[in-house]
Amino acid sequence: RRLPSLRWLFAACACTLSACVAAAPPPPVVTVPASYAGPIIDTHFHLDPGFGGSSLQETLTALDEIRAHGGVATAGLIVIARQGDLELTRSENDRVAELARAGGGRFFAFGSVHPGDGDAAIAELERIAALGVPGLKLHPNTQHFDLAAPEVERVVRRAAELGLVILFDAYSPFDPGETGQFVKLALAHPTARFILAHMGGPRFFDMAVFSVLNAYPKVFKRNVWLELSAVSHIVFGSPSLMEQLRHTCR
């Protein structure tokens, strides 16, 4: 029995595809403003140990100089906990909370714990929430943990219960499947609120998965936000990376 020629097969496929395209609804029109003129909120001021000076006022002055230079209205101050050094973790969390309180609305705080510290991490989460710290910073690369580890999910679950916003560093050169792990955490913890730093750069297109998930509101509760800190250093003037970034933002 003779098989139909490839020419007829391709013609049939082309007709089917044309019919599908004709029947599909038109894509939504996305209007992107030419520029942004509103206040700038920077969620990513790293507050390293010893930064600023010996006094609270000296540190605030140093932070205000950076904030004013960048035209930033409000800035999030970040610390990152080291595993096993609970005394330093508590001290840094106290420091960032005090600076935010003294900043008169110019700053807000992200405390930190290390998921590998187990029960002590959960206790510190509860303590910083009681201090009025609104956010938690976790950094898989710097803190050397695996996003898929059960201790990370435990911290995320408790942070969500306490109402803490969770700011993750969202690019790892060591874990090509990291974006998928963020998706799993967001789906498994719909009441948690996640901010993914650096927009996954330079893998900007990976972040478009959250736009796809928006089409499934019964599953995805739109509890993930993306921030753009440091992307200029990642793009380095590359036209292709810049276009990826623009496309993903749209």
Side-chain angles (χ1 to χ4, degrees), residues 153-154 156-157 160 180-192 194 213 219-221 223-224:
E153 184 164 21
R154 184 186 180 198
V156 166
R157 181 171 60 251
Q181 298 299 337
F182 285 129
V183 170
K184 288 181 179 179
L185 283 173
L187 296 181
H189 301 280
T191 62
F194 300 94
L213 288 172
V219 177
F220 179 55
K221 301 306 178 183
N223 56 339
V224 176

Side-chain angles (χ1 to χ4, degrees), residues 38 40 76 136 156 163 188:
I40 298 173
L136 170 70
V156 166

Side-chain angles (χ1 to χ4, degrees), residues 30 51 123 141 148 211 228:
V30 179
F51 171 84
N141 296 337
S211 180
L228 294 168

